[in-house]
Amino acid sequence: MVAIIMAAGVGSRISRHVDKPKCLLEIEGESILRRTVKMLLRNHISPVVVTGYQHRQIARELQDLQATLLHNPFYRVTNSLGSLWFARDYIQDDEDVILLNADVFWEQDILDILLLGKENALLLADSSVERLEQGDYFFGVHDGTIVKYGKDMKRVDRTHEYVGVGIVRAAFVPVFCDMMQYMMDSEQYNCWWEDILYRCSSDHDVYIRDIAGHFWAEVDYIEDYERIMNYICQRNQGKAAE
């Protein structure tokens, strides 16, 4: 199995606070991206990292790990769909593929949930009330499948916040790749990689797996990073008290 990690973005909403890609923010001495790559390798999943902004920093961060690095030189004029396009040769018809954003802090418990899912197209999401009130990108889900999606959904329509991680099973890869090809051919470069699945959802079921109760964070703002650090601190304090 391969995992394609989108790590090309500038991270404009947090860039005034940090001088490096947000995926390189450190948690207990290791960057978010390095933690993810090491977790994937422990699970015998091959990481493919698509870089852009400050790509040399990311290359140095991962130089001692068995990860494939690709570079999207057009990262300032494309969104993550363009980055995924540079990794298209690593998407095989006979192999499942995990797709994720590099700025997501997640751990083994959530990876286990993702891998247990048997659905052909699956995105992780969180139904916690706090997430629905303060989240960034939302789904409206019916019978486990996505029927609505967007940043500006009305509160009444929100059932889950999107996590930033998904999986496409081998059986769905041809559908996924055909839609990616169509979107690139029609010059929809400003789209996210997730838009491929959203477009597919009009004709195919795209499922979600709810991870409410499990800690995760996608680092868009400095407050997201601080929330991770608070979680780690509280967890370590709990372990010390045992």
Side-chain angles (χ1 to χ4, degrees):
M1 184 183 295
V2 66
I4 300 176
I5 306 172
M6 315 303 163
V10 174
S12 57
R13 289 180 288 186
I14 199 175
S15 59
R16 67 181 182 274
H17 298 285
V18 298
D19 59 356
K20 56 186 173 183
K22 54 186 177 175
C23 64
L24 296 188
L25 291 170
E26 289 191 353
I27 312 293
E28 296 187 301
E30 284 194 317
S31 69
I32 295 171
L33 177 58
R34 185 177 177 87
R35 290 172 67 100
T36 292
V37 168
K38 289 176 69 174
M39 178 176 69
L40 293 169
L41 289 170
R42 287 195 302 269
N43 288 269
H44 309 290
I45 299 168
S46 301
V48 177
V49 183
V50 187
T51 68
Y53 174 67
Q54 298 288 350
H55 62 98
R56 291 184 181 86
Q57 281 196 52
I58 294 176
R60 286 194 297 270
E61 177 73 4
L62 302 178
Q63 62 185 345
D64 62 325
L65 299 178
Q66 293 186 345
T68 299
L69 267 67
L70 306 173
H71 179 51
N72 171 11
F74 310 111
Y75 65 92
R76 288 194 182 273
V77 294
T78 68
N79 213 317
S80 58
L81 174 64
S83 291
L84 181 59
W85 180 251
F86 281 91
R88 65 192 182 278
D89 291 342
Y90 292 86
I91 305 175
Q92 304 296 322
D93 289 351
D94 59 350
E95 187 176 32
D96 301 339
V97 56
I98 295 172
L99 301 127
L100 67 142
N101 300 320
D103 58 352
V104 177
F105 173 87
W106 59 316
E107 296 183 292
Q108 185 67 46
D109 57 334
I110 296 178
L111 177 58
D112 290 340
I113 293 170
L114 180 72
L115 295 177
L116 284 173
K118 302 302 181 184
E119 297 87 351
N120 281 336
L122 176 69
L123 293 171
L124 296 182
D126 191 327
S127 64
S128 304
V129 173
E130 178 186 359
R131 294 287 186 174
L132 300 183
E133 296 288 348
Q134 303 176 14
D136 185 62
Y137 195 93
F138 304 100
F139 294 151
V141 174
H142 179 69
D143 289 339
T145 65
I146 297 171
V147 294
K148 293 183 179 180
Y149 48 87
K151 280 183 172 290
D152 301 318
M153 286 177 59
K154 295 179 180 178
R155 175 62 181 86
V156 68
D157 294 326
R158 303 173 189 174
T159 63
H160 298 77
E161 184 189 10
Y162 172 50
V163 171
V165 179
I167 188 169
V168 174
R169 297 294 182 180
F172 198 75
V173 164
V175 175
F176 182 85
C177 288
D178 284 348
M179 181 59 73
M180 176 172 61
Q181 183 72 56
Y182 167 78
M183 293 176 71
M184 291 299 293
D185 287 347
S186 53
E187 302 182 9
Q188 299 180 44
Y189 309 131
N190 63 334
C191 289
W192 301 315
W193 70 262
E194 294 94 340
D195 282 312
I196 299 171
L197 290 176
Y198 302 153
R199 304 292 173 81
C200 288
S201 69
S202 60
D203 298 310
H204 304 271
D205 287 333
V206 176
Y207 291 86
I208 67 96
R209 184 60 54 92
D210 192 354
I211 62 166
H214 297 263
F215 184 85
W216 64 277
E218 185 167 20
V219 182
D220 291 316
Y221 301 95
I222 194 65
E223 291 80 7
D224 299 321
Y225 177 60
E226 291 170 349
R227 187 157 56 88
I228 298 171
M229 299 304 291
N230 288 337
Y231 163 76
I232 294 295
C233 181
Q234 292 172 11
R235 186 174 68 179
N236 290 344
Q237 288 175 352
K239 289 179 179 179
E242 292 177 356

